[in-house]
Short mmCIF file of all heavy atoms in Angstrom, two decimals:
data_model
loop_
_atom_site.label_atom_id
_atom_site.label_comp_id
_atom_site.label_asym_id
_atom_site.label_seq_id
_atom_site.Cartn_x
_atom_site.Cartn_y
_atom_site.Cartn_z
N ASP A 193 -12.61 17.54 -5.31
CA ASP A 193 -14.06 17.59 -5.49
C ASP A 193 -14.77 16.46 -4.75
O ASP A 193 -15.85 16.65 -4.18
CB ASP A 193 -14.42 17.53 -6.98
CG ASP A 193 -14.13 18.84 -7.70
OD1 ASP A 193 -14.00 19.87 -7.02
OD2 ASP A 193 -14.02 18.82 -8.95
N ARG A 194 -14.15 15.26 -4.74
CA ARG A 194 -14.73 14.14 -3.99
C ARG A 194 -14.67 14.42 -2.48
O ARG A 194 -15.59 14.08 -1.74
CB ARG A 194 -13.96 12.85 -4.29
CG ARG A 194 -13.86 12.44 -5.74
CD ARG A 194 -15.15 11.87 -6.31
NE ARG A 194 -16.11 12.88 -6.71
CZ ARG A 194 -15.97 13.67 -7.79
NH1 ARG A 194 -14.90 13.58 -8.57
NH2 ARG A 194 -16.89 14.55 -8.09
N LEU A 195 -13.60 15.05 -2.05
CA LEU A 195 -13.43 15.32 -0.62
C LEU A 195 -14.43 16.35 -0.12
O LEU A 195 -14.78 16.37 1.07
CB LEU A 195 -12.01 15.80 -0.35
CG LEU A 195 -10.89 14.78 -0.59
CD1 LEU A 195 -9.51 15.43 -0.40
CD2 LEU A 195 -11.03 13.58 0.34
N LYS A 196 -14.92 17.21 -1.01
CA LYS A 196 -15.91 18.21 -0.61
C LYS A 196 -17.23 17.57 -0.18
O LYS A 196 -18.04 18.19 0.52
CB LYS A 196 -16.16 19.19 -1.76
CG LYS A 196 -14.98 20.11 -2.03
CD LYS A 196 -15.24 20.99 -3.24
CE LYS A 196 -14.05 21.91 -3.52
NZ LYS A 196 -14.25 22.73 -4.74
N ASP A 197 -17.46 16.34 -0.61
CA ASP A 197 -18.72 15.66 -0.33
C ASP A 197 -18.70 14.85 0.96
O ASP A 197 -19.71 14.25 1.32
CB ASP A 197 -19.08 14.72 -1.49
CG ASP A 197 -19.33 15.48 -2.79
OD1 ASP A 197 -19.77 16.64 -2.71
OD2 ASP A 197 -19.08 14.90 -3.86
N ILE A 198 -17.56 14.80 1.64
CA ILE A 198 -17.50 14.04 2.88
C ILE A 198 -17.43 15.00 4.06
O ILE A 198 -17.02 16.16 3.92
CB ILE A 198 -16.30 13.07 2.91
CG1 ILE A 198 -14.99 13.84 3.03
CG2 ILE A 198 -16.29 12.16 1.70
CD1 ILE A 198 -13.83 12.95 3.38
N HIS A 199 -17.87 14.53 5.20
CA HIS A 199 -17.91 15.37 6.40
C HIS A 199 -16.96 14.81 7.44
O HIS A 199 -17.36 14.47 8.56
CB HIS A 199 -19.35 15.46 6.92
CG HIS A 199 -20.32 15.95 5.89
ND1 HIS A 199 -20.37 17.28 5.49
CD2 HIS A 199 -21.26 15.30 5.15
CE1 HIS A 199 -21.31 17.41 4.56
NE2 HIS A 199 -21.86 16.23 4.34
N LYS A 200 -15.72 14.71 7.06
CA LYS A 200 -14.66 14.21 7.94
C LYS A 200 -13.49 15.19 7.89
O LYS A 200 -13.30 15.88 6.89
CB LYS A 200 -14.19 12.82 7.46
CG LYS A 200 -15.30 11.79 7.31
CD LYS A 200 -15.82 11.34 8.65
CE LYS A 200 -17.01 10.39 8.49
NZ LYS A 200 -16.69 9.14 7.85
N PRO A 201 -12.67 15.25 8.92
CA PRO A 201 -11.48 16.11 8.86
C PRO A 201 -10.56 15.65 7.73
O PRO A 201 -10.32 14.45 7.57
CB PRO A 201 -10.81 15.89 10.23
CG PRO A 201 -11.87 15.30 11.10
CD PRO A 201 -12.79 14.54 10.20
N VAL A 202 -10.05 16.60 6.97
CA VAL A 202 -9.13 16.28 5.88
C VAL A 202 -7.83 17.04 6.11
O VAL A 202 -7.82 18.26 6.26
CB VAL A 202 -9.71 16.67 4.50
CG1 VAL A 202 -8.73 16.30 3.40
CG2 VAL A 202 -11.06 15.98 4.28
N TYR A 203 -6.72 16.30 6.13
CA TYR A 203 -5.40 16.87 6.31
C TYR A 203 -4.70 16.94 4.95
O TYR A 203 -4.72 15.95 4.21
CB TYR A 203 -4.54 16.01 7.25
CG TYR A 203 -5.08 15.90 8.66
CD1 TYR A 203 -6.15 15.04 8.94
CD2 TYR A 203 -4.53 16.63 9.70
CE1 TYR A 203 -6.65 14.94 10.23
CE2 TYR A 203 -5.02 16.52 10.99
CZ TYR A 203 -6.08 15.67 11.25
OH TYR A 203 -6.58 15.56 12.53
N LEU A 204 -4.09 18.07 4.67
CA LEU A 204 -3.28 18.19 3.47
C LEU A 204 -1.85 17.82 3.85
O LEU A 204 -1.22 18.47 4.68
CB LEU A 204 -3.32 19.60 2.91
CG LEU A 204 -2.38 19.88 1.73
CD1 LEU A 204 -2.76 19.02 0.52
CD2 LEU A 204 -2.40 21.37 1.36
N VAL A 205 -1.33 16.75 3.24
CA VAL A 205 0.03 16.28 3.51
C VAL A 205 0.86 16.47 2.25
O VAL A 205 0.61 15.82 1.23
CB VAL A 205 0.03 14.81 3.96
CG1 VAL A 205 1.45 14.34 4.23
CG2 VAL A 205 -0.84 14.62 5.20
N ILE A 206 1.81 17.38 2.32
CA ILE A 206 2.68 17.66 1.17
C ILE A 206 3.94 16.83 1.32
O ILE A 206 4.79 17.11 2.17
CB ILE A 206 3.01 19.16 1.09
CG1 ILE A 206 1.73 19.98 1.00
CG2 ILE A 206 3.91 19.44 -0.11
CD1 ILE A 206 1.94 21.48 1.12
N ASN A 207 4.05 15.79 0.51
CA ASN A 207 5.15 14.83 0.64
C ASN A 207 6.31 15.19 -0.30
O ASN A 207 6.17 15.98 -1.22
CB ASN A 207 4.63 13.42 0.34
CG ASN A 207 5.62 12.35 0.72
OD1 ASN A 207 6.51 12.55 1.55
ND2 ASN A 207 5.50 11.18 0.10
N LYS A 208 7.43 14.57 -0.04
CA LYS A 208 8.65 14.70 -0.85
C LYS A 208 9.28 16.09 -0.75
O LYS A 208 9.88 16.59 -1.71
CB LYS A 208 8.38 14.32 -2.31
CG LYS A 208 7.78 12.92 -2.48
CD LYS A 208 7.75 12.46 -3.91
CE LYS A 208 7.10 11.09 -4.03
NZ LYS A 208 7.11 10.54 -5.40
N ILE A 209 9.18 16.71 0.44
CA ILE A 209 9.79 18.03 0.59
C ILE A 209 11.31 17.95 0.55
O ILE A 209 11.98 18.96 0.34
CB ILE A 209 9.33 18.73 1.89
CG1 ILE A 209 9.72 17.89 3.13
CG2 ILE A 209 7.83 18.99 1.85
CD1 ILE A 209 9.49 18.62 4.44
N ASP A 210 11.85 16.73 0.74
CA ASP A 210 13.30 16.56 0.63
C ASP A 210 13.78 16.69 -0.81
O ASP A 210 14.98 16.82 -1.06
CB ASP A 210 13.72 15.20 1.20
CG ASP A 210 13.00 14.05 0.51
OD1 ASP A 210 11.76 14.06 0.47
OD2 ASP A 210 13.68 13.13 0.00
N GLN A 211 12.84 16.67 -1.76
CA GLN A 211 13.20 16.72 -3.17
C GLN A 211 13.12 18.13 -3.76
O GLN A 211 13.38 18.32 -4.95
CB GLN A 211 12.27 15.79 -3.97
CG GLN A 211 12.30 14.34 -3.53
CD GLN A 211 13.65 13.69 -3.78
OE1 GLN A 211 14.25 13.87 -4.83
NE2 GLN A 211 14.14 12.93 -2.80
N ILE A 212 12.73 19.12 -2.94
CA ILE A 212 12.63 20.49 -3.46
C ILE A 212 13.43 21.45 -2.58
O ILE A 212 13.75 21.13 -1.42
CB ILE A 212 11.16 20.97 -3.52
CG1 ILE A 212 10.56 21.06 -2.10
CG2 ILE A 212 10.33 20.08 -4.42
CD1 ILE A 212 9.23 21.79 -2.05
N HIS A 213 13.73 22.61 -3.10
CA HIS A 213 14.39 23.65 -2.31
C HIS A 213 13.35 24.22 -1.34
O HIS A 213 12.19 24.44 -1.73
CB HIS A 213 14.92 24.76 -3.22
CG HIS A 213 15.84 25.71 -2.52
ND1 HIS A 213 15.36 26.74 -1.73
CD2 HIS A 213 17.20 25.79 -2.49
CE1 HIS A 213 16.38 27.42 -1.22
NE2 HIS A 213 17.52 26.86 -1.68
N PRO A 214 13.72 24.48 -0.09
CA PRO A 214 12.76 25.00 0.89
C PRO A 214 12.02 26.25 0.43
O PRO A 214 10.85 26.46 0.80
CB PRO A 214 13.64 25.31 2.11
CG PRO A 214 14.79 24.36 1.99
CD PRO A 214 15.05 24.22 0.52
#
Side-chain angles (χ1 to χ4, degrees):
D193 285 342
R194 304 285 81 72
L195 294 175
K196 290 176 180 177
D197 296 330
I198 70 167
H199 304 287
K200 305 288 175 65
V202 181
Y203 297 78
L204 174 63
V205 180
I206 302 172
N207 192 22
K208 305 190 182 184
I209 60 171
D210 57 305
Q211 301 295 317
I212 65 168
H213 192 280

